[in-house]
């Protein structure tokens, strides 16, 4: 089962994604793929909040700020990737240089497909983009194009897509495989 969870900042999507992941069998290895790089006080606070939030839920944390395709996990495990927007930014602006968003989106999707093939259940958290109507500088616009492309490809690949709005999950795409593959 592959579930894509999206929503705005502070919407409750991470809590929802963790809940969905813990609904799957506790008998399998459960990975939390953390993509945020710790660069400042704000990122330190967010990382600490997420660590506390997932504490006691049986996750083994794997730090993966980029190069998802190289990630090694136990086959048949369950995995939660938090979050695609961080991974995309890390890949787009590698070493302070902007990468071509088309190449970045292809590389990310190669990693996602490899991850999906390896996992029994996969949950990916991402952010809603292009709904604010704001005009952006060219670098930010390329990042949004990349994340938008990745999100579109993820949604097509996913068994289920859920948007979390004010902590309320709204199913956009429902699986025909049953509620949970345990």
């Amino acid at each position: 089962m592959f579930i894509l969870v999206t929503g705005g900042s502070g919407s409750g999507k991470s809590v929802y994604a963790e809940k969905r992941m813990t609904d799957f069998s506790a008998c399998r290895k459960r990975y939390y793929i953390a993509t945020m790089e710790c660069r400042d006080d704000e990122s330190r606070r967010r990382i600490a909040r997420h660590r506390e939030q997932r504490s006691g839920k049986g996750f083994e944390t794997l730090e993966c700020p980029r190069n998802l395709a190289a990630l090694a996990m136990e086959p048949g495990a369950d995995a939660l990737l938090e979050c695609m927007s961080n991974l995309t930014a890390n890949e787009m602006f590698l070493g302070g240089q902007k990468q071509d968003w088309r190449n970045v989106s292809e590389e990310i999707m190669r990693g996602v497909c490899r991850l999906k093939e390896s996992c029994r259940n996969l949950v990916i958290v991402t952010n809603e983009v292009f709904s604010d109507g704001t005009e952006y500088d060219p670098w930010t616009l390329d990042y949004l194009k990349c994340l938008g492309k990745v999100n579109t490809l993820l949604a097509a690949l996913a068994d289920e897509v859920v948007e979390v709005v004010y902590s309320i999950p709204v199913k956009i795409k429902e699986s025909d495989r049953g509620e949970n593959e345990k």
Side-chain angles (χ1 to χ4, degrees):
M1 169 78 73
F2 171 29
I3 303 169
L4 178 64
V5 179
T6 188
S9 177
S11 65
K13 62 188 175 289
S14 297
V15 171
Y16 176 79
E18 288 176 15
K19 168 72 170 90
R20 290 300 304 268
M21 184 56 61
T22 58
D23 286 347
F24 297 123
S25 175
C27 298
R28 277 187 300 282
K29 189 107 172 143
R30 184 180 294 150
Y31 293 104
Y32 183 100
I33 304 166
T35 62
M36 180 176 274
E37 291 185 313
C38 191
R39 296 180 182 200
D40 56 21
D41 288 340
E42 179 186 349
S43 61
R44 271 188 281 286
R45 285 190 298 271
R46 289 181 68 192
I47 289 168
R49 180 174 47 93
H50 279 263
R51 284 181 179 155
E52 176 64 28
Q53 184 177 294
R54 70 179 180 266
S55 175
K57 295 180 181 172
F59 287 104
E60 178 181 326
T61 301
L62 299 174
E63 302 288 337
C64 185
R66 64 186 58 77
N67 197 10
L68 188 58
L71 188 64
M73 296 185 337
E74 181 180 301
D78 293 342
L80 168 59
L81 187 147
E82 171 78 40
C83 117
M84 187 53 68
S85 57
N86 289 327
L87 180 68
T88 301
N90 296 340
E91 295 283 9
M92 278 282 303
F93 304 109
L94 184 61
Q97 299 295 315
K98 183 172 73 81
Q99 309 302 309
D100 182 272
W101 69 268
R102 292 165 202 84
N103 296 338
V104 169
S105 64
E106 289 173 10
E107 184 60 30
I108 288 171
M109 289 309 298
R110 270 192 289 281
V112 168
C113 288
R114 185 175 179 276
L115 188 61
K116 184 178 179 290
E117 289 171 8
S118 175
C119 293
R120 180 169 176 105
N121 297 295
L122 173 63
V123 177
I124 295 180
V125 177
T126 192
N127 283 304
E128 173 64 31
V129 293
F130 284 124
S131 61
D132 59 7
T134 304
E135 290 188 30
Y136 294 99
D137 64 84
W139 278 39
T140 304
L141 189 56
D142 279 353
Y143 163 74
L144 292 173
K145 286 177 188 174
C146 185
L147 184 57
K149 177 68 172 178
V150 167
N151 285 347
T152 300
L153 294 170
L154 290 173
L157 191 60
D159 298 304
E160 185 174 311
V161 178
V162 179
E163 181 180 13
V164 179
V165 182
Y166 308 120
S167 297
I168 301 168
V170 179
K171 288 192 177 179
I172 306 298
K173 178 181 178 182
E174 293 197 50
S175 171
D176 58 2
R177 296 168 59 181
E179 181 60 28
N180 288 324
E181 254 191 34
K182 299 185 181 201

